[in-house]
Amino acid sequence: MTATKRVRLSPEARRAQLIELGVELLATRRLDELSVELIAQSAGISRGLLFHYFSSKQEFHTEVARAAAAEMIRRTEPDTSRPPVEALRGALSAFIDYVEENPDNYKSLVRGAASADLEMRAIFDNTRATMAQRVIDVIAQLGFELSDRADLAVHGWVAYVEECVIRWIDSRRFDREQLLEMLTKSLPAVALSASDDEVGTLVSILTDQKPIEQ
């Protein structure tokens, strides 16, 4: 890799640049493969100077993971101009796209959640909670309030989606549209299993919709 010409930046701008470089490099490698040498060379700075902006390699990795999670949340934001159910399915489709484009990036984030690092786990937990809340908000827009059990089930569904998409990326045993249909149809089934009969109406609303055309 050819080192770029060093440009004088403010400390805040240089720190942001290093984090952005880290996120870009996650597209082709795991978080634990982001070496100090690689980042310094890409940024056109010395290895030692990196630690002027970050107290440790662990802090750098944490900030890169935080930025990657924020990018994923931004990319999968539901389109509020669409009907609620379509917006939700569109967000799910965007999530599949994101993991397809950044498999190592997302796997690094998932692995961080299983680590002993409390900050990394918090980043992933907040990301998952944001995704679950989007589902809950859509259901609220449709005029339904989930019980505590159904709320818990929705959070579990998000974990199910993550695992299915990661495994699908590795195997590709069926096509993307089949994956999207399976995931969207599984949500009402999960919600119904933990809800009162009233949510049966919600199930019919969701299952009568066709998967979003790509």
Side-chain angles (χ1 to χ4, degrees):
M1 181 181 294
T2 302
T4 57
K5 182 179 179 180
R6 184 176 174 182
V7 178
R8 184 178 297 278
L9 298 172
S10 70
E12 294 78 12
R14 179 67 74 182
R15 180 182 169 90
Q17 180 205 40
L18 293 170
I19 293 171
E20 182 179 358
L21 279 172
V23 173
E24 290 176 358
L25 291 169
L26 278 184
T28 56
R29 68 204 75 213
R30 300 191 309 269
L31 183 62
D32 58 11
E33 294 175 335
L34 291 183
S35 68
V36 173
E37 292 78 9
L38 177 63
I39 295 298
Q41 182 183 35
S42 299
I45 63 174
S46 67
R47 182 184 187 280
L49 190 57
L50 180 71
F51 295 107
H52 177 71
Y53 305 103
F54 302 94
S55 62
S56 65
K57 181 179 178 180
Q58 180 60 39
E59 182 194 359
F60 174 69
H61 281 182
T62 299
E63 292 307 313
V64 169
R66 196 187 314 279
E71 171 66 9
M72 190 274 288
I73 289 298
R74 185 191 67 77
R75 286 268 307 271
T76 59
E77 181 73 26
D79 182 356
T80 56
S81 68
R82 305 174 74 173
V85 174
E86 288 186 14
L88 179 60
R89 284 187 169 135
L92 180 56
S93 180
F95 174 72
I96 297 173
D97 289 342
Y98 180 85
V99 180
E100 272 195 286
E101 295 169 17
N102 304 276
D104 291 328
N105 181 326
Y106 194 75
K107 288 177 184 178
S108 290
L109 193 60
V110 172
R111 275 193 293 270
S115 73
D117 188 301
L118 294 180
E119 283 192 273
M120 289 292 290
R121 289 172 59 185
I123 291 169
F124 186 77
D125 287 346
N126 289 338
T127 301
R128 180 176 286 176
T130 298
M131 296 173 68
Q133 189 60 48
R134 286 173 173 174
V135 177
I136 294 168
D137 289 345
V138 167
I139 293 173
Q141 289 178 50
L142 292 170
F144 297 91
E145 183 177 352
L146 294 183
S147 66
D148 290 340
R149 288 185 301 144
D151 183 281
L152 179 63
V154 168
H155 282 77
W157 175 79
V158 171
Y160 165 77
V161 168
E162 293 162 352
E163 184 67 17
C164 285
V165 173
I166 288 175
R167 287 182 175 272
W168 177 78
I169 291 291
D170 290 337
S171 67
R172 307 279 182 165
R173 293 180 181 176
F174 48 89
D175 66 39
R176 183 186 179 285
E177 289 306 310
Q178 290 176 307
L179 173 67
L180 182 57
E181 182 176 8
M182 180 186 77
L183 296 178
T184 52
K185 286 185 175 180
S186 67
L187 172 58
V190 169
L192 181 61
S193 69
S195 301
D196 298 327
D197 291 340
E198 181 188 41
V199 181
T201 304
L202 172 61
V203 172
S204 66
I205 292 173
L206 292 172
T207 54
D208 284 345
Q209 297 288 330
K210 296 180 180 179
I212 291 176
E213 297 294 334
Q214 298 298 310

